[in-house]
Amino acid sequence: MAEAFCPVYAALNLLQEKWTLHIIRALLEGPKGFNELSRAVGGVNPATLSQRLDQLVRLGVVEKRVESYMPPRTRYSLTEAGRELEAVIAAIDRWARKHLKAPVA
């Protein structure tokens, strides 16, 4: 017998993927090219970034727009569904500011 679909379980599986929330947070600032997004996220391997972006495009969270082919130039932006995750990021921010302390240098 198949298990019932649990939307919370499915959403947590998506959002727990390494770099996914970092990508979404960076795109909340506005559309970005691949290299610009890589710098904004910081520390992500280009192959991993490409894989995460492809997954987010397939799921309808991110939109990919090819602006030119020579040289290749692609811009990524959040869809309506992606922009709705701003509330999730804001809730994490509020919680972190309340409960986490900045590391002492």
Side-chain angles (χ1 to χ4, degrees), residues 14-35:
L14 166 66
L15 297 176
Q16 78 173 348
E17 290 275 348
K18 190 167 185 182
W19 303 110
T20 297
L21 283 173
H22 295 284
I23 293 166
I24 293 166
R25 179 192 49 79
L27 289 175
L28 281 168
E29 298 169 0
K32 293 184 175 14
F34 186 88
N35 291 331

Side-chain angles (χ1 to χ4, degrees), residues 1-2 9-10 19 23-24 41 46 52 61-62 65 68 81 105:
M1 182 163 127
Y9 184 85
W19 303 110
I23 293 166
I24 293 166
V41 170
R52 292 295 176 272
V61 175
V62 168
R65 193 177 64 216
S68 69

Side-chain angles (χ1 to χ4, degrees), residues 20-105:
T20 297
L21 283 173
H22 295 284
I23 293 166
I24 293 166
R25 179 192 49 79
L27 289 175
L28 281 168
E29 298 169 0
K32 293 184 175 14
F34 186 88
N35 291 331
E36 184 183 9
L37 184 55
S38 180
R39 285 188 299 276
V41 170
V44 63
N45 164 317
T48 301
L49 179 57
S50 181
Q51 181 184 36
R52 292 295 176 272
L53 285 168
D54 287 346
Q55 178 187 32
L56 292 169
V57 168
R58 273 194 319 277
L59 292 170
V61 175
V62 168
E63 178 182 49
K64 175 181 178 177
R65 193 177 64 216
V66 177
E67 293 184 341
S68 69
Y69 292 96
M70 283 302 179
R73 186 169 307 277
T74 305
R75 305 254 330 143
Y76 295 90
S77 60
L78 294 174
T79 63
E80 178 75 25
R83 285 188 300 277
E84 287 179 15
L85 287 168
E86 184 170 14
V88 173
I89 303 282
I92 292 170
D93 179 66
R94 280 191 306 277
W95 182 89
R97 289 175 187 277
K98 182 176 180 180
H99 298 287
L100 300 179
K101 302 295 179 230
V104 178

